[in-house]
Amino acid sequence: MCGITGWISYDRNLTTERATLDAMTETMSCRGPDAAGIWLDTHAAFGHRRLAVIDIDGGKQPMSVEHDGRTLIVTTYSGEVYNYRELRAELETLGHAFRTSSDTEVVLHAYLEWGEAFAERLNGMYAFALWDPRTEELLLIRDRMGIKPLYYFPTSDGVLFGSEPKAINAHPDVRPAIDTEGLAELITFTKTPGHGVFKGMHEVRPGHIVRVSRNGVSVRSYWALEAREHTDDLDTTVARIRELLDDIVARQLIADVPLCTLLSGGLDSSVITALSARALTAQGIGPVRSFAVDFTGYTENFKADDLRGTPDGPYAHALAEHVGSDHHDIVLDTAALMDPGHRAAVLAARDLPNGFGDGDTSLYLLFKAVREQSTVALSGESADEVFGGYRWFHDPEAVHADTFPWIAAGVSGRFAGGNATREALLDNGLLDKLDLKGYEQRRYREALAEVPYLDSDTGLQRRMREISYLHLTRFVQVLLDRKDRASMAVGLEVRVPFCDHRLVEYVFNTPWSMKTFDGREKSLLRAAARDVLPDLVADRVKSPYPSTQDPRYNEALRAELKDLAADRNAPVQPLLDDAAAAEATADGATSDIRPGAELILGLDAWLRTTGTSLDL
């Protein structure tokens, strides 16, 4: 993995701008704790922070290819290309010679051989910049599913870019600011592809290439979901999915550093852990190491609700015992979740206060503990989006609502551990100006306009293709972004096998009736992997990432909100509804304030620490 940043300026000599590049690169130190590198040329400057995973000694960056004393191409690269060995072998037959065993060098030679079209040959998670001194052009390229982040900020004579907004905001010419649209994007549960939230900033869209030249900035897509006829019968479909999963997991187990899996006891993470255990055993290098998050007293005092019906612990332990993994529970308490230092670290990692409250803090602490023993972790993220696992996929009211189905299901509050909305404590005048419902509707219409169809898509099949598309291009981005920031904040590389584009394409085009052939969620995944799972786990109903149920957490939030509401100099005061805050913090108040309080507290801390201005 790694953190990248850079600056292209056609009107300045960047060889004298080392101090600025150092400052931008240093913001990425958490993403790459193992090494740092800077490359400067007249109009291009690249910075790199490295997390060494493959070819520890030879993969240093920025990396270039030279010929006869002339630089042909240079890159600052973040990610993993899982088919780099096949690409390298093909390139060698075409006359290319390699000096390292890294996938980064393969990417450079692939560009030299095939030009921009090389991106279509890559299988992996990546975000990188390529500078071609021969044409003085920059390419910014992001993987198909948007697993790895990449932002850019056009300037009057070029562009700034970075893995995270903080790298761009570290440039002295950038004034971090958010306008009404940016704030609406931050608050709503939309994650618009390409939207950078900060004024003037953009995110490279998944599956896209951004080209920067003296003529300006242009954007093109090199991959998108397409509607294709599915001709396989059920048995063939299940067998094909298993074949893909076996290949994907085997590829993603390649690393020159300690590796593990994230195991919640749900179907998704259990499949990844079980298949990893099999693959490692076949290589004679098992057992697989697995990690789960838990909270003090969570299992013993668990209370089911309409989102989470069972605690994770017993299921994670059952799977670990079944496959013989070296399993570890990371047990957290309320004090750790409310610790100001931990919450500040999460905010610094995310750049924006738009997360999942204690769910972000617990994920950060889980990854921090995992990093002490492993450098790479495989995750079950995105299986729900691919296979149709969320409950609202199967709720007719949410499915047929004229908005994003997760918004119709009220999920933003419930994922954060409550039923209230994020905007519950915001000033009414501000809410009128933001028009969150109108913003959601515009983004929803834009998304629907992109959906590809077959002529045979009618009725429920047509609507479920839309629902799948919305999840694979919008909802999953929220979760991938969250996982990337929390993991890279502690220098942990998290891989997501279910985001392999071959699997995504295949299942996207599988009819909805086949995806639910047994009357349940994720029917195809369950059928494809049942033989490696205990029945207890295979038959478990979907339960999202856990959120603490300790009442002391809510009490601590209420007390902190009360102090904030009383501070008339708090930077978040202009955004706060005083009456709503007073009602929420009154003696004896029992209303659910969790999502709203976490947003308000996060906004205040963000405004205090980042210097971001609100241009509302």
Side-chain angles (χ1 to χ4, degrees), residues 145-183:
M145 290 296 291
I147 305 168
K148 304 313 299 177
L150 184 56
Y151 294 81
Y152 66 102
F153 187 97
T155 64
S156 60
D157 70 329
V159 72
L160 302 166
F161 67 87
S163 292
E164 300 176 12
K166 61 175 65 69
I168 295 169
N169 289 337
H171 192 282
D173 292 343
V174 175
R175 180 182 68 90
I178 288 186
D179 57 17
T180 53
E181 182 177 280
L183 191 56

Side-chain angles (χ1 to χ4, degrees), residues 416-560:
N419 291 306
T421 62
R422 290 203 222 189
E423 61 268 27
L425 298 173
L426 293 176
D427 176 73
N428 287 327
L430 173 66
L431 291 174
D432 288 341
K433 184 181 293 187
L434 295 179
D435 184 20
L436 299 180
K437 293 298 182 184
Y439 185 80
E440 290 170 353
Q441 272 295 303
R442 290 196 301 277
R443 296 311 189 190
Y444 174 65
R445 298 296 173 204
E446 290 173 2
L448 279 186
E450 298 172 4
V451 180
Y453 301 101
L454 294 174
D455 291 340
S456 58
D457 288 338
T458 59
L460 182 62
Q461 170 59 26
R462 180 182 176 89
R463 181 54 177 165
M464 294 316 296
R465 187 182 288 280
E466 292 175 347
I467 297 296
S468 296
Y469 187 89
L470 295 174
H471 281 82
L472 291 169
T473 62
R474 268 66 177 177
F475 192 83
V476 77
Q477 287 298 304
V478 176
L479 302 182
L480 291 174
D481 193 58
R482 168 180 178 251
K483 181 149 289 182
D484 174 85
R485 298 302 194 282
S487 60
M488 294 310 294
V490 297
L492 177 71
E493 175 179 304
V494 175
R495 298 175 178 177
V496 278
F498 289 115
C499 274
D500 185 289
H501 71 278
R502 298 169 297 163
L503 180 69
V504 172
E505 290 171 345
Y506 186 77
V507 180
F508 175 67
N509 284 296
T510 303
W512 181 246
S513 58
M514 195 174 286
K515 292 178 185 176
T516 56
F517 74 87
D518 63 357
R520 294 196 56 189
E521 81 286 354
K522 289 185 286 197
S523 305
L524 291 173
L525 178 59
R526 185 176 293 101
R530 181 175 279 280
D531 66 302
V532 297
L533 304 174
D535 289 342
L536 176 71
V537 172
D539 293 327
R540 187 187 182 194
V541 174
K542 167 68 183 176
S543 182
Y545 182 85
S547 182
T548 182
Q549 294 185 340
D550 187 342
R552 291 174 297 177
Y553 180 77
N554 287 351
E555 293 166 7
L557 277 180
R558 205 177 299 274
E560 195 169 332

Side-chain angles (χ1 to χ4, degrees), residues 97-119:
F98 293 85
R99 56 185 175 81
T100 76
S101 58
S102 71
D103 58 332
T104 305
E105 190 179 13
V106 171
V107 166
L108 288 168
H109 283 271
Y111 171 76
L112 291 174
E113 180 63 34
W114 296 302
E116 262 187 51
F118 86 105

Side-chain angles (χ1 to χ4, degrees), residues 343-365:
R343 291 162 65 196
V346 170
L347 181 62
R350 293 204 64 143
D351 282 315
L352 295 166
N354 61 338
F356 291 82
D358 78 279
D360 282 349
T361 309
S362 66
L363 193 66
Y364 165 80
L365 293 172

Side-chain angles (χ1 to χ4, degrees), residues 74-96:
V74 61
T75 190
T76 182
Y77 168 90
S78 169
E80 307 289 351
V81 171
Y82 301 124
N83 63 334
Y84 78 99
R85 291 175 173 173
E86 296 97 315
L87 290 173
R88 178 183 173 127
E90 183 178 358
L91 288 163
E92 286 175 332
T93 66
L94 295 170
H96 292 260

Side-chain angles (χ1 to χ4, degrees), residues 30-67:
C30 60
R31 298 185 70 92
D34 296 330
I38 297 288
W39 182 86
L40 301 174
D41 200 3
T42 305
H43 299 304
F46 281 4
H48 188 269
R49 290 292 311 209
R50 187 180 184 214
L51 176 64
V53 172
I54 293 176
D55 192 1
I56 307 302
D57 296 325
K60 296 178 181 178
Q61 296 188 50
M63 185 181 290
S64 61
V65 174
E66 299 179 355
H67 181 70

